[in-house]
Amino acid sequence: MAEPRAMTSTTHPSQTVQNPFQRFLIATEIDTRLLGMIGALAIIWVGFNFFSGGLFLTPRNLWNLSVQTASVAVMVTGMVLVIVTRNIDLSVGSILGVVGMVMGVMQTQILPVQFGLGLGHPMIWILSLATGLAVGVGIGGLQGAIIAYLRVPAFIVTLGGYLVWRGAAWWVTAGRTVAPMDSTFQLMGGGPNGSIGALWSWVIAVVACVAIVLGLYFGRRQRQRYNFPLRPVWAEVSLAVIGCGATIAAVWVANAYPWPVRIAENFAEANGIAVPEGGLFISHGIAIPVLIAVGVGVVMTFLATRTRFGRYVYAMGGNPEAAELAGINTRWVTVKIFMLMGALCAIAAAISTARLNAATNALGTLDELYVIAAAVIGGTSLAGGVGTIAGALLGAVVMQSLQSGMVLMGIDSPLQSIVVGIVLVFAVWLDTLYRRNKH
C-alpha cells in the first residue's frame, strides 16, 4: 500500500516542485520563455557595458536605445499577428520608406505650396499623418487581398511589395531627400522638445502603476467569477511589485538624462532663467516615440487577447481549416491583418521621418529583417498559432540592444549583419526545440 500513497503524493505541482524559484514561477504564471529573454537581455546589457568601458548602461545610451527601438517596436506588434496566421511580410521596410516619403512631400510641397497652408500651419502635420495612414492601410489592404482572395503566397506578394514600394519611394521624388519636416511633426521623433519632461514622466509612472494594480485586481475577480484557479495573494502582490518597480526604474533612467548644455542654456536665456554655477539640469523624461510605441503595444495586446478579431487570428494560426469550417471569414481576417500592418508601418514611418527630420530613400532599409527577427526572438512561432505582443516588444529591445552595443564598440556594419543573422537562426532553432519538447 506504500506505493499508491507515494504516487498520490506526487500529483500536486506544489508537492512535486521543491525549488522555491520554480514554485514562484508556477504561482505567478510567468512565461518561462519571456523570463529567458529578460535574462538574455540582461546578459547582453552587462556584456556590452563591460566591453564598452561602462558606456552602455548610462541614462544617455539607454534613452537613445529606447528611441531607436520605437519604430521597430511599433511594426513588430503587427508582425506577430501576421506570423501567427502562418504568413510573412517582407515589405514592411519598403512600406515605411514610401509612406515616409509621401508624408515628407505632403509637408514640404503639396500642403504648403499647392494648398497654400503655409509652413508651420497647425493642420500640416495632421493631414500629413492622416495621408500616410491612408496610404499604409491601402497598401496593406491591397497585399492582403491578393494573398487572401487570389491565393498568392504571402512570401511572394510581400517580396514583390519589397521591390515595388522601395522603387515607388524613389519615384515619388526622383531620389531626392525631402526636408525639413513640420516642427510639430518633429516631436514624434524625440529629442529635447520631443520628450515630456520629468514631471509628466512621473505622472505617467503613477498612472501605469495604478493600471497594473487594477489589472491584477480585476483579473482576479474575473477568475473568481468563472471559477478559474486563483493565484496566491503573495503572487499577485509580487507581480504588482515587479511591474511597478520596472516602470519606476524606466522613468528614473529617462529623467536622469539631461538636455545638452547648450540647448539648456539657450532655453534658460529665452525664458529668463538664471543658470546655476554647476549648469542647468533639465530632464528629458520619456520620449514621445517611446510613449507611442508603448501605447501601440497596449492597444495591440488588447486587440490580440480581448477581442473577437484576436481570437480569430489565433484560431486561424492554430488550424486554418478548422477555423474556416467554424464559420470564420478567414479571407477577410487576413485582409484586415495586413491593413493593420500597413497602418503600423505608417506610424513607424512618422517616427523615423520625424527623428531624422527628413524623408530619405534609405528610410526603412533592412527594417523587415529586424522586425521579423524581433518577432521570432520574442517567441512568435513561424509554424503559426503562437506569439505574444509583449514577447515581440522585448525581442525588439534585444535586437536594438545588439545593434546599439555593436555600434558603441565600433564594430563594422558587415559584422553587425553577420551577428544579427546568427541570432535569428539561433532563435528559430530554439523555437523548434521548444515546440518539440512541448509535444
Side-chain angles (χ1 to χ4, degrees):
M1 297 295 294
E3 185 175 353
R5 283 198 297 271
M7 293 175 62
T8 303
S9 64
T10 60
T11 56
H12 196 277
S14 62
Q15 295 175 340
T16 59
V17 179
Q18 300 298 325
N19 188 329
F21 182 67
Q22 291 178 321
R23 284 202 298 269
F24 173 80
L25 292 180
I26 292 174
T28 56
E29 301 176 358
I30 294 177
D31 186 0
T32 54
R33 297 184 72 178
L34 193 65
L35 194 65
M37 282 187 290
I38 294 174
L41 181 63
I43 293 172
I44 291 171
W45 282 12
V46 172
F48 278 131
N49 191 61
F50 175 78
F51 288 110
S52 64
L55 295 177
F56 191 88
L57 291 178
T58 59
R60 176 185 179 183
N61 188 65
L62 293 177
W63 190 91
N64 287 326
L65 175 65
S66 67
V67 174
Q68 293 163 0
T69 307
S71 62
V72 171
V74 167
M75 290 189 289
V76 79
T77 61
M79 187 61 74
V80 170
L81 302 187
V82 172
I83 296 178
V84 160
T85 54
R86 306 186 184 187
N87 291 305
I88 199 73
D89 193 341
L90 302 176
S91 64
V92 292
S94 298
I95 295 175
L96 186 153
V98 71
V99 172
M101 193 64 75
V102 168
M103 288 191 291
V105 171
M106 287 289 293
Q107 294 175 61
T108 58
Q109 298 176 23
I110 296 178
L111 292 175
V113 178
Q114 298 184 17
F115 286 85
L117 292 183
L119 295 176
H121 193 281
M123 288 300 296
I124 285 182
W125 76 273
I126 297 174
L127 293 175
S128 299
L129 185 60
T131 302
L133 285 169
V135 172
V137 170
I139 291 174
L142 174 62
Q143 294 187 155
I146 295 173
I147 294 165
Y149 292 100
L150 301 184
R151 301 293 187 180
V152 181
F155 180 89
I156 299 301
V157 174
T158 58
L159 179 60
Y162 167 84
L163 300 171
V164 170
W165 308 124
R166 181 59 63 188
W170 185 92
W171 178 75
V172 171
T173 60
R176 296 192 306 273
T177 295
V178 178
M181 299 295 103
D182 177 75
S183 57
T184 306
F185 185 85
Q186 290 179 38
L187 300 181
M188 287 187 286
N193 294 324
S195 306
I196 62 174
L199 176 61
W200 284 107
S201 295
W202 285 121
V203 171
I204 293 291
V206 171
V207 171
C209 289
V210 171
I212 290 170
V213 173
L214 290 178
L216 290 170
Y217 172 73
F218 287 112
R220 187 175 182 85
R221 287 190 59 180
Q222 282 290 93
R223 289 180 175 225
Q224 288 177 329
R225 180 181 176 185
Y226 295 105
N227 294 321
F228 288 167
L230 298 177
R231 286 189 290 250
V233 175
W234 66 264
E236 302 276 14
V237 173
S238 298
L239 289 172
V241 170
I242 292 171
C244 294
T247 301
I248 292 171
V251 172
W252 179 82
V253 171
N255 287 340
Y257 177 40
W259 284 12
V261 175
R262 180 58 60 187
I263 295 178
E265 290 178 351
N266 292 339
F267 176 82
E269 183 179 351
N271 291 273
I273 300 174
V275 179
E277 186 176 344
L280 185 63
F281 186 97
I282 302 178
S283 174
H284 275 82
I286 305 173
I288 290 177
V290 177
L291 287 177
I292 294 173
V294 172
V296 168
V298 171
V299 171
M300 290 296 292
T301 299
F302 178 82
L303 193 68
T305 60
R306 294 287 186 269
T307 66
R308 183 181 300 176
F309 171 73
R311 290 192 293 271
Y312 287 174
V313 168
Y314 282 89
M316 288 169 55
N319 192 325
E321 293 79 12
E324 196 160 356
L325 290 173
I328 298 175
N329 189 345
T330 56
R331 296 185 181 185
W332 177 229
V333 172
T334 299
V335 174
K336 288 195 288 187
I337 290 171
F338 279 90
M339 290 172 67
L340 181 60
M341 187 73 250
L344 293 171
C345 288
I347 296 173
I351 293 173
S352 299
T353 307
R355 182 165 167 261
L356 289 175
N357 193 24
T360 70
N361 284 285
L363 200 66
T365 302
L366 293 183
D367 272 12
E368 55 279 337
L369 167 65
Y370 288 101
V371 172
I372 294 172
V376 174
I377 289 173
T380 305
S381 174
L382 292 172
V386 178
T388 63
I389 304 298
L393 291 173
L394 189 57
V397 176
V398 170
M399 289 299 300
Q400 192 58 52
S401 297
L402 284 172
Q403 187 180 22
S404 177
M406 289 187 289
V407 169
L408 202 61
M409 292 175 60
I411 296 177
D412 294 335
S413 180
L415 185 55
Q416 293 180 31
S417 300
I418 292 173
V419 172
V420 171
I422 293 173
V423 169
L424 177 58
V425 174
F426 183 70
V428 174
W429 176 66
L430 288 180
D431 174 66
T432 303
L433 289 180
Y434 178 82
R435 287 188 288 108
R436 187 184 303 165
N437 293 333
K438 190 173 182 180
H439 294 291

